[in-house]
Amino acid sequence: SLRGECLVAGFYLNELLMCLLQKWDAHLVLYTAYEKAVAMLQASVLEQGVLRSFEKALLEELGYGLFPKSDTELQHALQPDHYYRFVPEQGFVISTLGDPSQAKTHIFSGKNLLAIAREDWRDESCLQDAKRLTRFILAPLLGARPIHSRKLFLQLNGEESDK
């Protein structure tokens, strides 16, 4: 019984699964993450952290895990006061902010990356960075396949802003 944005979010989860998984492949860990996400989408308000956690679980299950599993390894890999650029097939590389336009797409704060790794969604900038990061990583995996639920989100938000 999903409604409004939560219904569109459920459609988004299904689209990702249909586009990125092979038919009949068992993904037990991912199914558990999906089940948890759908249960959380039963709420009346969409929590963006639900989508980001699912995207993170999906990438891990597909072999594109972004972060070390242990806290010790995570602390060695990322420092909260540094900035990092995500390089496909290499991971996070320490960087400077440099060009502001590049910072909006490819540069992430260590503080937010650590929060993403721990799925600590309290900070809005962390949620925005997680969305940018997962879109950047999912884009080549999705290729030319459109994600129709993104258009629905825009339409739904456009209709609500007219009211």
Side-chain angles (χ1 to χ4, degrees), residues 23-37:
K23 192 174 184 176
W24 308 117
D25 278 356
H27 293 277
L28 299 178
V29 171
L30 187 56
Y31 178 78
T32 301
Y34 175 78
E35 185 178 40
K36 178 181 175 185

Side-chain angles (χ1 to χ4, degrees), residues 66-68 73-82 84 92-93 109-115 117:
L66 303 175
F67 304 103
E73 289 176 317
L74 185 61
Q75 291 297 331
H76 289 299
L78 301 168
Q79 299 299 312
D81 56 344
H82 288 87
Y84 297 87
F92 295 102
V93 177
S109 76
K111 175 182 157 257
N112 282 350
L113 290 174
L114 288 166

